[in-house]
Amino acid sequence: MVFFCGAGVSMAHAKLASFSALAEKVINDLGATEDSKAKKLFQKFTELNKEPHTRGVMSADHIFSSLIRSFDRSDINCSVARSLLPTGVPALTAHKTILQLARSQGGHTRLVTTNFDLLFEACNKKLKSVTRSNLPHVQFSDNDWGIVHLHGKVKPDYSAPDRDGFVLSSSEFGDAYLAQGWARNFVKDVLGKFVAVFIGYSADDPPVRYLLEGLQQSNGANHNIFAFQSADDEAIAQWDEKGVTPIVYSLDQEGTHAPLWDTLASWGTRTKNPAVWKNKLLIKARRGPDKLLAYERGMVAHLIKSQSGARAFKQMNPPLPSDWLCVFDPTIRLQQVQDKAYLYPKDEIINPYQLYGLDSDPPPSDRNEEFSQKDKSEVWDAFVVNERDHEDLNNGHLPSIRSFRSSDPAKLPARLNYLAMWIAKVADQQITVWWAGRQSSLHPDLLRYVNNELRLNKEKIVPKSIFESWNAIIELSYFYGREKYQEYELKSRIDSFGWSSFYIREYSKLSAPFLKTGSFYRRSIPRYKRKQLNKYSLVRVDVEYPEGIYDITVPDEFISQILSTMRINLERAVEMEEEFSGCVQDICAIEPDESPRGINTSRGQNLSAYVLHFVSLFRRLSSIDIQEARNEFRRWRKDDPVFTRLRIWAAGIENLIDESEFTTEILSLNDEDFWPFKGERDLLLSLKSKWNGLSENNRKLIENRILKGPPK
C-alpha cells in the first residue's frame, strides 16, 4: 500500500493552507489589483464553491494559470514557497502517523505527496526526499523511496522551489499527466504494484482530477485506489464516479477530522509492532466473543483473513473457545433471534447478532427489511477462500486429471488449514460439534484432525455424548459425495444399454440407504449450562432412501440377485434407523387396507416405501421360483424388527412354507411381535390365509396364544 498525501494532511494539525487558499495568499502577496483577471477569477472560484451543485466546476490551477499571464513565474514560485512557511512550531501528529504507516517491515519509506512543504522531512531529518528528476524506480521492490514530492518541493529555507520547480498551473498539470505524462507514468507504475490510498484530498482537487484523467488515457487498466472521505453524499458520489473507492468516516461533534486521525494512529500502533498487537488481541479473544465489543470481534476477524493471523489463532494454548465459530460463520451470527421452543421452554433466548456480530455487519433481517440475500452474500465468512488464499495456492491445492489428486479432494489453503487445526483442538466443546453437525459437508482433512485429536490426545477427557456426535458426523461424511437422484441416471443407462452384471452391481450400490444432515426443531446455539446432553442434542442425522430405484424394472432372470442385494441394504437401513431415528417399528402394514379408515400416506415414504419395494420384488420371486423364494425367506434375520414383520407377512404366502413351519413361526414370536404396534393386519391376514389348512391341534395352540392376551 502507498499513501498519496494532499494538502489536507498539512491542514489537519499544522494549519497550512489548502491549494485554493494558497492561490489566495499568492494573489495577495504579489499585490494583484481588484480588477486583475486573477483576482476576478478567484472571486468567481469562491462563489462557485459555495454551492454544492457548482463545486468543482472551476479549480485552483486555473487561477495560477491566470497569475502566470500577469506575473513572473519565478516571483509566483517564491511567493508560493514563502506562503507555505509554518508559523511557530508546527504540530506534526498527522505527518508522524502517516510516516509510521508508510514504513515497510524492512524499514523502507514509500510515500507520495503533492504538497510542496517539508513537514514530512521535519519529522525525521534522515528521510530522503525526491522530485521529478530523481523519481524512484518502482519496479525494484526493495528500494527506499523516501518522500516523493510529485509536484515539487520548497527549499529548506522556504525561499523558493527546490530543483524542478512546482506544478501549479493548468498547463503544468497538463504536461505532467497528459502531454509529457511523466507524473502519470510514475503513478501508473505505482498502481501496477501497490494499492493507492488518497488522504487529504477532495474529489475535485486538481491533482486528483489530472491524475485520474491521465490514467484513463493510458492503458485503461482498473486500479485499486481508495480515498478517505468524511460523510458527504455528494463527495462520496464524486469519488465513485472517478473509479475510486471512498473509505467513509464521520466527523466529531466539533466538526473536526479527529476520528480519522485517531483511527490512523491506532493503525500505526498496530503497524509499529504487529506481533505485539496480535498477541494482545488474542489474549483478549480468550475471554470469548460474547465478552467483547463488535469492533473487537472485527479485529479478530481481520486477523483471521491472513495466513499468519490464522496460524497465530491456532497456536494459542489453551486454544481459544469454540464460540468463535459463531463469529466466523455468518449464517450463525446474522440469524434471527429464536423464540422459546414449545418443547424447551426453559432454554435461554439467544441473540446471535448481539453476541457474535461484527462492526461491519448489517443488522439481521428481523430488524432490517432491506437486508437481502445479496447483502448476506457480501458479509465476511471466515471459511470462504479469499484473495490471499488464492495467492498461496500451488499444484498441491489443485485437482489433476490423473494421479492421486484426480480422486482426492484438493488440499486446503494454508489459512483454512490452520482454522481446521484449531477446530480439531476444540472438538471436545459443544458448540464445535453443533456447528459441524449443521454443515452439509466438511473437508476430510478437518475430520482427520478431529479424529486424531479425540483418539490420540490422552490428556483430554471427552464426554461420551461429544464422542458419539463426532462418530455420527464422520459417518455422515461417507455420503458427502453422493449425487442426488443418481439412480434416475442409472435407469436411463439401463434403458439405453440393457442389463448386465455391471448394472446389477450399480443397482446394489445406488439402492443402498444413505445418511443426510437433518434439521433441528430448534436452531438456538447450545449453552454450556445445559446439563442433559446426548448426541441428538448436537447432531441431527436423517436416513434417506433412493426413491428412483422404485421406477427401475428388474427382469425376471435378475430378480434373485437383486433381491439378495436389497436384503443386505434393508438390513443396513434397519441398523441406521435404530441408530439415528428409533422409528423402526413405525413401518406401515404390508398389505394395503382399501377402506377409507385404512388410507395410509406413509406407504410411499421413507422406510415403509423401501420395505414395500423389497416386498414387491419378493412377490415376483415367489411367483417365478418358489424354491428360490424359500431359500431367500430362510435368510431373513429373526431378531430384526422389520424382518420379523416381513416373516409374519411372507408366512401367509401359498406354498412358501408348510403347516408345521408356519405354526412354529407364529408361536415363536415374542409378545412384542405377536401384539405389534402396527403389524396386526399382516398377522391376521397370514392367519386367515393359512387357517383352513392347519390341523386342529395347531389351531388350538395359536388360539390359546391369542386368548392369553398381551402382557398386562
Side-chain angles (χ1 to χ4, degrees):
M1 189 206 67
V2 172
F3 274 114
F4 281 72
C5 301
V9 176
S10 295
M11 293 165 60
H13 297 104
K15 308 303 181 186
L16 291 192
S18 65
F19 196 52
S20 57
L22 180 63
E24 183 180 21
K25 278 189 171 186
V26 172
I27 288 173
N28 295 332
D29 184 55
L30 293 174
T33 61
E34 290 296 325
D35 60 346
S36 68
K37 188 172 182 181
K39 194 86 169 182
K40 291 180 179 179
L41 202 60
F42 183 78
Q43 290 172 350
K44 186 65 175 176
F45 168 82
T46 305
E47 291 173 8
L48 289 171
N49 278 274
K50 286 180 181 178
E51 300 295 331
H53 64 279
T54 56
R55 191 180 300 152
V57 172
M58 182 189 298
S59 55
D61 56 302
H62 294 102
I63 299 169
F64 281 106
S65 295
S66 179
L67 281 170
I68 288 173
R69 299 189 190 100
S70 306
F71 296 92
D72 183 74
R73 189 183 293 267
S74 63
D75 290 341
I76 295 171
N77 285 342
C78 290
S79 177
V80 168
R82 289 194 303 271
S83 300
L84 291 171
L85 180 65
T87 56
V89 180
L92 301 176
T93 307
H95 294 78
K96 289 178 180 177
T97 296
I98 292 178
L99 277 175
Q100 193 170 45
L101 292 170
R103 182 180 292 273
S104 69
Q105 293 290 319
H108 298 150
T109 298
R110 299 192 182 113
L111 189 148
V112 180
T113 181
T114 54
N115 296 343
F116 308 137
D117 61 68
L118 302 178
L119 295 183
F120 282 115
E121 288 83 349
C123 299
N124 185 351
K125 302 296 183 184
K126 295 181 180 179
L127 281 175
K128 70 175 184 178
S129 58
V130 299
T131 55
R132 170 184 176 180
S133 56
N134 59 340
L135 291 173
H137 296 289
V138 177
Q139 62 268 31
F140 300 136
S141 58
D142 60 343
N143 59 349
D144 188 1
W145 299 1
I147 310 300
V148 178
H149 287 273
L150 195 59
H151 295 167
K153 62 172 183 163
V154 299
K155 288 183 176 180
D157 60 359
Y158 284 77
S159 61
D162 192 14
R163 298 184 68 174
D164 301 308
F166 298 139
V167 175
L168 291 168
S169 66
S170 302
S171 60
E172 289 165 335
F173 274 107
D175 281 343
Y177 289 99
L178 301 173
Q180 297 180 32
W182 54 268
R184 176 197 67 215
N185 293 336
F186 172 75
V187 173
K188 187 176 73 172
D189 290 344
V190 171
L191 295 179
K193 292 195 67 173
F194 300 93
V195 173
V197 179
F198 290 172
I199 184 167
Y201 294 102
S202 63
D204 54 6
D205 277 348
V208 172
R209 181 163 52 83
Y210 282 103
L211 187 154
L212 296 177
E213 286 179 4
L215 288 175
Q216 288 174 1
Q217 293 188 23
S218 56
N219 58 7
N222 292 322
H223 302 289
N224 275 330
I225 308 176
F226 297 84
F228 286 108
Q229 172 63 51
S230 60
D232 180 330
D233 291 343
E234 185 174 344
I236 293 168
Q238 285 181 323
W239 283 118
D240 281 329
E241 289 169 4
K242 290 178 167 61
V244 177
T245 304
I247 304 173
V248 183
Y249 61 92
S250 298
L251 303 178
D252 62 10
Q253 292 180 345
E254 286 75 34
T256 74
H257 300 266
L260 169 65
W261 295 108
D262 290 345
T263 301
L264 292 178
S266 295
W267 186 9
T269 301
R270 173 198 181 282
T271 305
K272 188 175 182 180
N273 197 328
V276 171
W277 180 87
K278 190 184 301 180
N279 191 53
K280 285 182 178 178
L281 177 61
L282 291 174
I283 290 173
K284 186 182 291 186
R286 188 170 281 150
R287 292 156 52 192
D290 55 334
K291 303 295 191 301
L292 305 184
L293 297 174
Y295 82 90
E296 293 173 315
R297 294 192 288 266
M299 288 178 170
V300 176
H302 160 77
L303 198 65
I304 296 300
K305 292 177 184 177
S306 68
Q307 182 186 138
S308 61
R311 181 174 62 244
F313 190 91
K314 185 270 295 186
Q315 289 174 340
M316 290 294 286
N317 192 22
L320 297 176
S322 59
D323 299 54
W324 282 104
L325 281 167
C326 301
V327 177
F328 298 164
D329 191 336
T331 64
I332 298 176
R333 70 175 190 267
L334 294 179
Q335 74 180 23
Q336 296 185 19
V337 178
Q338 297 297 301
D339 296 327
K340 285 184 180 294
Y342 173 74
L343 296 176
Y344 308 96
K346 294 183 179 179
D347 265 16
E348 177 184 359
I349 293 180
I350 295 173
N351 185 335
Y353 182 73
Q354 288 182 354
L355 297 178
Y356 307 116
L358 305 176
D359 50 340
S360 60
D361 283 336
S365 54
D366 58 339
R367 277 163 292 144
N368 178 13
E369 294 179 359
E370 297 178 358
F371 183 66
S372 63
Q373 196 63 37
K374 179 183 177 184
D375 297 323
K376 192 175 288 189
S377 68
E378 292 174 355
V379 297
W380 176 72
D381 186 340
F383 305 111
V384 171
V385 177
N386 61 33
E387 289 184 17
R388 294 186 186 179
D389 294 334
H390 282 291
E391 293 171 2
D392 294 332
L393 298 181
N394 55 43
N395 289 339
H397 297 99
L398 301 174
S400 171
I401 201 168
R402 62 177 189 176
S403 80
F404 68 93
R405 285 204 307 274
S406 62
S407 56
D408 287 350
K411 289 169 56 181
L412 288 170
R415 182 185 69 87
L416 295 181
N417 197 50
Y418 289 130
L419 288 181
M421 291 177 177
W422 164 71
I423 291 171
K425 284 186 174 184
V426 293
D428 60 321
Q429 298 179 20
Q430 293 178 24
I431 286 183
T432 311
V433 191
W434 172 82
W435 173 83
R438 287 166 54 99
Q439 310 309 311
S440 58
S441 63
L442 293 167
H443 196 280
D445 286 352
L446 168 57
L447 294 174
R448 189 174 70 253
Y449 296 151
V450 169
N451 202 26
N452 292 340
E453 182 72 23
L454 294 179
R455 285 162 175 76
L456 302 180
N457 191 342
K458 302 301 182 183
E459 299 177 1
K460 200 172 277 188
I461 300 174
V462 182
K464 182 182 178 182
S465 58
I466 300 288
F467 205 89
E468 289 178 340
S469 295
W470 276 114
N471 284 343
I473 292 170
I474 289 170
E475 188 170 1
L476 265 172
S477 71
Y478 301 151
F479 302 96
Y480 283 163
R482 190 186 193 281
E483 294 182 17
K484 208 171 184 181
Y485 308 128
Q486 54 190 327
E487 60 271 21
Y488 293 102
E489 171 65 21
L490 173 64
K491 181 180 185 304
S492 175
R493 290 158 64 193
I494 291 174
D495 290 344
S496 298
F497 304 110
W499 280 85
S500 67
S501 57
F502 169 74
Y503 289 119
I504 292 175
R505 292 191 296 272
E506 285 293 288
Y507 186 101
S508 172
K509 182 171 65 175
L510 297 183
S511 61
F514 56 94
L515 299 180
K516 194 175 90 171
T517 304
S519 300
F520 283 101
Y521 296 116
R522 53 179 180 168
R523 296 181 296 160
S524 61
I525 299 160
R527 308 303 287 168
Y528 294 117
K529 295 178 182 177
R530 187 183 294 175
K531 295 178 181 178
Q532 292 184 341
L533 192 70
N534 56 52
K535 66 179 178 181
Y536 302 112
S537 306
L538 302 173
V539 179
R540 179 72 186 273
V541 179
D542 291 338
V543 183
E544 297 284 323
Y545 298 92
E547 297 177 359
I549 63 163
Y550 307 154
D551 297 328
I552 298 177
T553 303
V554 181
D556 290 350
E557 62 266 33
F558 298 121
I559 283 286
S560 180
Q561 289 176 270
I562 292 297
L563 199 57
S564 294
T565 64
M566 280 301 299
R567 172 177 22 90
I568 296 170
N569 287 339
L570 184 55
E571 289 172 353
R572 186 183 304 172
V574 172
E575 292 166 359
M576 287 179 171
E577 293 284 3
E578 287 179 330
E579 174 79 13
F580 297 110
S581 75
C583 299
V584 184
Q585 303 280 4
D586 199 25
I587 61 172
C588 65
I590 294 172
E591 291 296 342
D593 184 354
E594 303 299 341
S595 65
R597 72 172 192 170
I599 295 173
N600 191 336
T601 56
S602 68
R603 295 185 66 80
Q605 300 172 1
N606 304 326
L607 180 60
S608 289
Y610 201 63
V611 170
L612 293 180
H613 176 64
F614 182 83
V615 165
S616 67
L617 292 174
F618 186 77
R619 271 201 181 103
R620 285 185 57 196
L621 180 63
S622 61
S623 65
I624 296 169
D625 189 338
I626 192 64
Q627 183 55 47
E628 191 59 38
R630 290 191 192 105
N631 296 336
E632 173 62 29
F633 174 81
R634 292 187 176 103
R635 295 187 187 103
W636 293 355
R637 300 191 300 198
K638 293 187 177 182
D639 55 349
D640 183 298
V642 170
F643 277 96
T644 298
R645 291 276 302 277
L646 287 171
R647 294 179 71 87
I648 293 171
W649 162 78
I653 296 176
E654 187 178 359
N655 298 325
L656 184 69
I657 57 177
D658 59 25
E659 175 191 357
S660 174
E661 194 172 354
F662 175 83
T663 305
T664 302
E665 187 74 37
I666 298 301
L667 294 177
S668 64
L669 295 173
N670 59 37
D671 286 337
E672 185 178 353
D673 293 328
F674 194 83
W675 303 98
F677 174 53
K678 284 192 175 182
E680 303 96 327
R681 178 176 176 78
D682 295 321
L683 176 56
L684 290 172
L685 289 174
S686 288
L687 289 173
K688 175 186 176 183
S689 172
K690 292 286 190 178
W691 197 253
N692 291 334
L694 296 180
S695 67
E696 184 69 22
N697 183 55
N698 286 337
R699 286 184 187 179
K700 285 290 183 183
L701 290 173
I702 296 174
E703 286 173 354
N704 289 336
R705 177 71 187 272
I706 295 173
L707 289 171
K708 182 182 176 183
K712 298 294 186 287

